[in-house]
Amino acid sequence: MKRLFFVLAASVVLVSCGTKQVKPPLPQGSYQKAQWETKAVVRDLKANKSHTVDIDIQGDYPEKLRMEVKAFMGTAVASLALNSEDIRYTIYPQKKFFEGHASEGSFMPLMNIPLHPRNFMSIAYDTPMRGAGWTCAKGPDGLLAECNQVGKSIKVQWQERTPEGQKKVLITGPTFEMRWLFKPPQTEVQFKDETFVLMAPPEFKTIQLK
């Protein structure tokens, strides 16, 4: 989590899943295109420090995701675009642009969290986490309640849902904790072609993800 806290500090100053990547179907009555306003509190457990960020999400399930991360006073921290297996994101305070094949290590330069970018979409859309070693369970309401990746001690819990669609998500691991509040989704949306396109800003260093 040191990378995320460095980025945020700089910006202020400025059910079971196997090894095969199967796209889970959306819950009955759900939506393909949606956008969310969210707020997350990310805590570094080792350093006992936390920061709050706003994350705007736009999704076209199951292939496309856009995330805009902002810190204090709306300061831009990062932009992310996921198109199937292609991931691109910009870290503005560092003037770096990352691109490559999406994997569990894709976010390491930003958050130091070994979570596949597709699983951020899974969290938003209430679908089981994808990838090796994940097991998931539904709650009494029939909705997804918890997913665990035991081998890496990572847990995702969906909590405090409302009829309007608001929810809280708790993501925990050995060195981090992320408390994520989702406001009710906007589902009457239309996205432009460029919504899920992200290009390297001028003078930013481009880094290939491996």
Side-chain angles (χ1 to χ4, degrees), residues 38-200:
T38 78
K39 184 180 292 290
V41 179
V42 186
R43 183 183 176 196
D44 182 331
L45 299 180
K46 289 186 176 180
N48 194 27
K49 294 181 179 179
S50 62
H51 287 278
T52 300
V53 291
D54 294 317
I55 306 175
D56 293 332
I57 301 173
Q58 296 170 303
D60 188 352
Y61 191 88
E63 302 291 344
K64 298 179 180 181
L65 182 72
R66 179 71 181 246
M67 297 172 63
E68 296 291 335
V69 184
K70 299 178 182 179
F72 182 67
M73 297 294 290
T75 303
V77 175
S79 296
L80 174 146
L82 175 69
N83 287 275
S84 187
E85 296 299 322
D86 178 76
I87 180 74
R88 299 183 176 202
Y89 64 90
T90 302
I91 302 179
Y92 295 105
Q94 297 180 2
K95 292 189 174 182
K96 292 181 179 180
F97 179 81
F98 297 82
E99 61 180 357
H101 186 81
S103 70
E104 287 188 344
S106 294
F107 276 170
M108 296 301 281
L110 175 61
M111 296 184 179
N112 201 24
I113 296 176
L115 196 64
H116 197 292
R118 283 194 306 266
N119 282 328
F120 285 93
M121 178 176 282
S122 296
I123 289 169
Y125 279 91
D126 300 329
T127 59
M129 306 291 277
R130 289 181 264 170
W134 284 100
T135 58
C136 299
K138 295 181 179 181
D141 57 3
L143 297 175
L144 201 59
E146 182 174 301
C147 289
N148 289 276
Q149 193 178 33
V150 177
K152 296 184 178 180
S153 300
I154 298 177
K155 179 185 291 187
V156 182
Q157 297 172 285
W158 288 258
Q159 305 171 338
E160 299 182 36
R161 298 181 187 272
T162 69
E164 295 76 23
Q166 181 168 299
K167 64 190 176 189
K168 293 182 180 179
V169 180
L170 175 63
I171 311 171
T172 55
T175 61
F176 70 91
E177 178 184 274
M178 183 173 180
R179 295 183 178 273
W180 203 353
L181 171 65
F182 284 72
K183 293 183 179 180
Q186 301 178 41
T187 57
E188 299 295 327
V189 294
Q190 294 294 328
F191 299 130
K192 298 180 180 179
D193 292 340
E194 58 267 27
T195 298
F196 303 102
V197 176
L198 189 62
M199 306 299 293

Side-chain angles (χ1 to χ4, degrees), residues 17-22 131-133:
C17 303
T19 57
K20 185 178 180 180
Q21 298 299 320
V22 178

